[in-house]
Amino acid sequence: MDIISTPDLCDEHGDKVRVIDGNFRHYGGKQHFWGEIATIKCFEDNSRVAEMVKEPGKDRVLVVDGGASPRRSLLGDNLARAAAENGWRGIVIYGYLRDVEELATMPIGIMALGSVPRKTEKLGDGRCDIALEFGGTTLSPGEHLYADLTGIIISSQALT
C-alpha cells in the first residue's frame, strides 16, 4: 500500500485512533507515510536524532519532541538522507528543521512545525524510547502513526 487516508482510517476506526493537533507541514518527498513509532525527546540538541537515524529504521517513524522551539533545527539534509538510506519510513518533529529544498527531494515522509536555518546544539542531550506528550495526545514507542496531507493520527495497533 503506497497511499493511506487519515480521514478514511478515522471513519473506519472511530475513537480507536487519536488525531495530533497542530500545524504540521510536509517537507519530505513522501506525503503519505505510516509505521511503528520510535521516540526521542530533546530540546535544541539533535544528538540523539543523529544517532537514531543511523540505526536500521525497519520501516518505523521517528517522532521527535523538540518542545516546539523555533530557535534551532533538529533535522537537516544529512540526517534525513541517513534516515532514508537506513530504512526509516518517516520523521515527525514537534519542532523545526532546515534544508527545506533538499528534504523535498528525499524518499521519506518528513513533517515539522516549520523551518529555521540555524543548526542545532551538539551536547549529547535527549532521551529515547519514552512516551511523548504534544498535540493534545500521548505518543508511545510501539504505537502506530499514519500521516497524509490531511493530518496525523495515532493508533495503539496497526491499521493497515
Side-chain angles (χ1 to χ4, degrees):
M1 178 184 317
D2 291 332
I3 295 179
I4 53 102
S5 166
T6 58
D8 288 350
L9 290 172
C10 283
D11 291 350
E12 184 177 340
H13 298 281
D15 291 338
K16 293 180 182 174
V17 299
R18 304 181 312 278
V19 176
I20 295 182
D21 301 332
N23 293 317
F24 287 87
R25 295 182 48 204
H26 281 274
Y27 291 94
K30 295 200 177 245
Q31 296 181 332
H32 296 259
F33 61 96
W34 61 94
E36 186 177 322
I37 296 172
T39 64
I40 297 174
K41 184 173 181 74
C42 57
F43 187 74
E44 298 183 1
D45 178 356
N46 74 351
S47 300
R48 299 290 177 248
V49 176
E51 292 169 4
M52 187 78 82
V53 299
K54 293 173 185 167
E55 296 177 8
K58 302 176 187 172
D59 292 327
R60 292 177 294 165
V61 175
L62 180 59
V63 180
V64 180
D65 179 355
S69 174
R71 296 187 303 223
R72 300 280 180 172
S73 166
L74 295 177
L75 183 77
D77 59 341
N78 291 331
L79 295 185
R81 186 174 300 104
E85 290 172 355
N86 286 311
W88 290 90
R89 198 175 270 174
I91 302 172
V92 174
I93 300 175
Y94 185 59
Y96 286 65
L97 48 67
R98 67 187 201 161
D99 301 318
V100 171
E101 294 85 1
E102 291 87 352
L103 298 181
T105 67
M106 297 188 184
I108 185 171
I110 301 171
M111 294 179 79
L113 297 178
S115 61
V116 61
R118 188 175 310 280
K119 70 179 180 177
T120 185
E121 301 274 29
K122 295 284 190 190
L123 304 172
D125 290 340
R127 296 172 55 203
C128 301
D129 299 320
I130 63 168
L132 307 176
E133 291 187 32
F134 65 84
T137 192
T138 301
L139 299 88
S140 298
E143 290 190 304
H144 296 265
L145 181 145
Y146 299 83
D148 63 8
L149 291 171
T150 301
I152 305 170
I153 63 173
I154 306 297
S155 172
S156 60
Q157 299 178 33
L159 304 177
T160 57

